[in-house]
Amino acid sequence: MKSVTCTILIFSLLASLLTGCWDRKELNEIGITVGLGVDKDGDQIRVSAQVVVPSEVASKSRPSKGAPAVTTFEVTAPTLYEAIQKITEISPRLIYLSHIRMLIFGEEFARQGIADIVESLMREPFARTDFYICVAKGTSASNMLQVATTLEKIPANKMFSSMEVLSKTWAPVSKVTIDQLMDVLVSSEIHATLPALEAKGDLPKGIVEGTDNVKTIEPTTVLAITSLAVFKKDRLIGWLDEIDSKGYNYIRDHVDTTTGHVDCPEGGKIALLALRSQTKTKVFMHNGEPIIQISVENKSTIRENNCKKMELKSVEDVHEIERESNAKIIEVMKHSVETVRRKFKVDIFGFGQLIHQTNPKAWKVLKKDWDHTFMNVQVEYKANTEIKKIGAIMNSYQKKMKE
């Protein structure tokens, strides 16, 4: 009996030492931030926080007619977390970062360097690392966070969902999380890329109109993730176009499925849907010089046939399309590499990373002047397209219509 009593007393004393939820915050005390924008303001940082309006998104509440589902608070301070805390001057709730979906850098800020912000957010114990990062092309992050969006009431959720869908279905776009970005920034073997966020349409008008922007069939302004931003270390140095972004993603094995086209031998085009795509990259050393070999395996199906003469009647016709597809993929990858070499002179493709992983001894020598070596490294390209399906009909009926 005494032993039982002693055990209870010991556990009671131990329980008294537990702190419990010392940092607990009630829901009505916090402002759930879903989007964070970072811009330059002189020598300080302008931070924009897109915060959810609970009454407009709660399932049991009746939304106010025409009221937005989010509000944006904006302040300026010397550092990121000073700005976040300073938002309480204008917000009735404490800014809460655990539910961030999107981090947006304004173009001007990104050109000055983003490493400090990335490190600050990685230090934050309450911020998750599964949000996506992009750069506002030609404007500020603040402007992007003020544009109302269709289908999704919360703009940051719209951008997050777009990134998820596009990275799986459209080759020019790839998604980047903060831990992935951090890994690249601390590496000497590769330079970073981030998705480019553009405002299509009349951006100033879209901002002024607020929720009226999405009350018409065609909104005044829409947010689109279009291509990729190129960095040297942590500074933005330029933009890839759609085609070169596609080539980059093929090389980096970021393409899952996508749609493209090839030209028919005697006029017209055939649209192909890539069902699966896989890229394997190898490096070989020849006389102390690296040779990069890139090989793409592509399983595709024909989705549209506008060829003037080819009617897909034979296996040879299908093989001809496969050869055209191979040539197109190689052309896109080669053009991307040459564009990056000519315009930016930095290795965003991870060739240096590949050498380091497969031949550390060679990398010890090459890393001293890798950006210069990258400009002349030999790259060999190979593509193998296999058309698995040609659609529900064999031939185009348009020829019969003309006849």
Side-chain angles (χ1 to χ4, degrees), residues 170-171 242-243 246 250 258-264 267-274 298 300-307 320-332 385 387:
W170 189 236
E242 185 178 286
I243 300 299
K246 190 173 187 176
Y250 265 117
T258 190
T259 301
H261 74 272
V262 296
D263 295 323
C264 304
K269 299 182 187 301
I270 284 185
L272 297 174
L273 169 66
N298 203 314
S300 296
T301 180
I302 295 174
R303 300 308 296 268
E304 189 175 338
N305 177 16
N306 295 324
C307 288
E320 178 64 27
I321 297 167
E322 290 173 341
R323 286 191 289 271
E324 290 292 329
S325 176
N326 293 339
K328 185 74 173 283
I329 292 171
I330 290 171
E331 178 190 348
V332 166
T385 299
I387 294 177

Side-chain angles (χ1 to χ4, degrees), residues 233-252:
K233 297 188 182 297
D234 72 325
R235 295 171 183 258
L236 172 69
I237 56 174
W239 310 89
L240 294 180
D241 63 19
E242 185 178 286
I243 300 299
D244 288 327
S245 297
K246 190 173 187 176
Y248 165 85
N249 282 323
Y250 265 117
I251 293 169
R252 293 290 292 160

Side-chain angles (χ1 to χ4, degrees), residues 86-361:
K86 191 176 178 182
I87 289 175
T88 53
E89 291 182 350
I90 53 177
S91 167
R93 300 186 178 195
L94 184 67
I95 295 302
Y96 188 63
L97 300 178
S98 289
H99 295 282
I100 290 180
R101 305 295 264 170
M102 291 296 302
L103 170 64
I104 306 171
F105 291 111
E107 179 172 340
E108 185 183 4
F109 183 88
R111 290 188 182 277
Q112 302 297 313
I114 62 174
D116 288 345
I117 301 300
V118 173
E119 182 176 336
S120 296
L121 287 170
M122 288 295 288
R123 288 178 183 275
E124 168 56 48
F126 299 111
R128 299 186 335 207
T129 59
D130 59 352
F131 57 88
Y132 296 142
I133 308 172
C134 61
V135 181
K137 186 175 182 179
T139 187
S140 66
S142 170
N143 285 341
M144 294 301 195
L145 288 174
Q146 294 180 57
V147 177
T149 55
T150 58
L151 295 182
E152 289 282 357
K153 293 175 66 176
I154 299 174
N157 282 353
K158 182 270 175 193
M159 289 181 261
F160 183 91
S161 297
S162 292
M163 200 84 76
E164 284 272 290
V165 173
L166 282 167
S167 63
K168 294 175 183 176
T169 61
W170 189 236
V173 177
S174 56
K175 57 190 179 184
V176 180
T177 58
I178 194 165
D179 50 347
Q180 291 170 336
L181 177 60
M182 187 75 170
D183 287 343
V184 173
L185 291 179
V186 299
S187 172
S188 61
E189 305 149 8
I190 186 172
H191 294 274
T193 62
L194 287 175
L197 179 67
E198 288 190 68
K200 302 284 189 177
D202 190 336
L203 178 58
K205 188 177 180 182
I207 293 172
V208 170
E209 287 182 349
T211 54
D212 288 342
N213 177 53
V214 294
K215 287 185 177 179
T216 58
I217 291 175
E218 185 178 0
T220 304
T221 311
V222 293
L223 300 180
I225 300 158
T226 55
S227 55
L228 294 172
V230 178
F231 284 74
K232 183 174 184 178
K233 297 188 182 297
D234 72 325
R235 295 171 183 258
L236 172 69
I237 56 174
W239 310 89
L240 294 180
D241 63 19
E242 185 178 286
I243 300 299
D244 288 327
S245 297
K246 190 173 187 176
Y248 165 85
N249 282 323
Y250 265 117
I251 293 169
R252 293 290 292 160
D253 195 25
H254 290 164
V255 178
D256 188 2
T257 66
T258 190
T259 301
H261 74 272
V262 296
D263 295 323
C264 304
E266 298 185 44
K269 299 182 187 301
I270 284 185
L272 297 174
L273 169 66
L275 303 171
R276 291 185 303 279
S277 181
Q278 183 180 30
T279 303
K280 293 182 180 178
T281 312
K282 297 179 181 179
V283 61
F284 297 93
M285 301 300 296
H286 181 69
N287 295 330
E289 297 295 326
I291 300 173
I292 307 295
Q293 293 186 338
I294 302 169
S295 178
V296 177
E297 292 288 332
N298 203 314
K299 310 294 184 185
S300 296
T301 180
I302 295 174
R303 300 308 296 268
E304 189 175 338
N305 177 16
N306 295 324
C307 288
K308 292 183 178 179
K309 292 189 177 182
M310 184 180 288
E311 296 186 0
L312 306 178
K313 286 182 176 180
S314 67
V315 173
E316 182 53 39
D317 287 343
V318 175
H319 288 337
E320 178 64 27
I321 297 167
E322 290 173 341
R323 286 191 289 271
E324 290 292 329
S325 176
N326 293 339
K328 185 74 173 283
I329 292 171
I330 290 171
E331 178 190 348
V332 166
M333 291 192 294
K334 187 180 293 186
H335 192 274
S336 182
V337 171
E338 294 309 314
T339 298
V340 170
R341 282 171 161 169
R342 185 181 71 255
K343 291 179 65 176
F344 307 120
K345 300 177 175 60
V346 293
D347 178 11
I348 63 173
F349 303 100
F351 295 159
Q353 196 175 57
L354 179 66
I355 297 169
H356 188 193
Q357 290 170 354
T358 57
N359 196 331
K361 188 180 287 187

Side-chain angles (χ1 to χ4, degrees), residues 25-72:
K25 297 288 188 298
E26 298 293 340
L27 280 174
N28 59 359
E29 296 175 349
I30 59 175
I32 297 175
T33 304
V34 287
L36 199 66
V38 183
D39 291 301
K40 186 174 171 55
D41 191 351
D43 60 349
Q44 299 198 75
I45 297 171
R46 186 167 77 252
V47 173
S48 308
Q50 188 175 97
V51 179
V52 174
V53 179
S55 61
E56 297 301 318
V57 296
S59 59
K60 294 184 179 179
S61 300
R62 179 176 292 179
S64 305
K65 190 175 182 180
V70 294
T71 187
T72 300

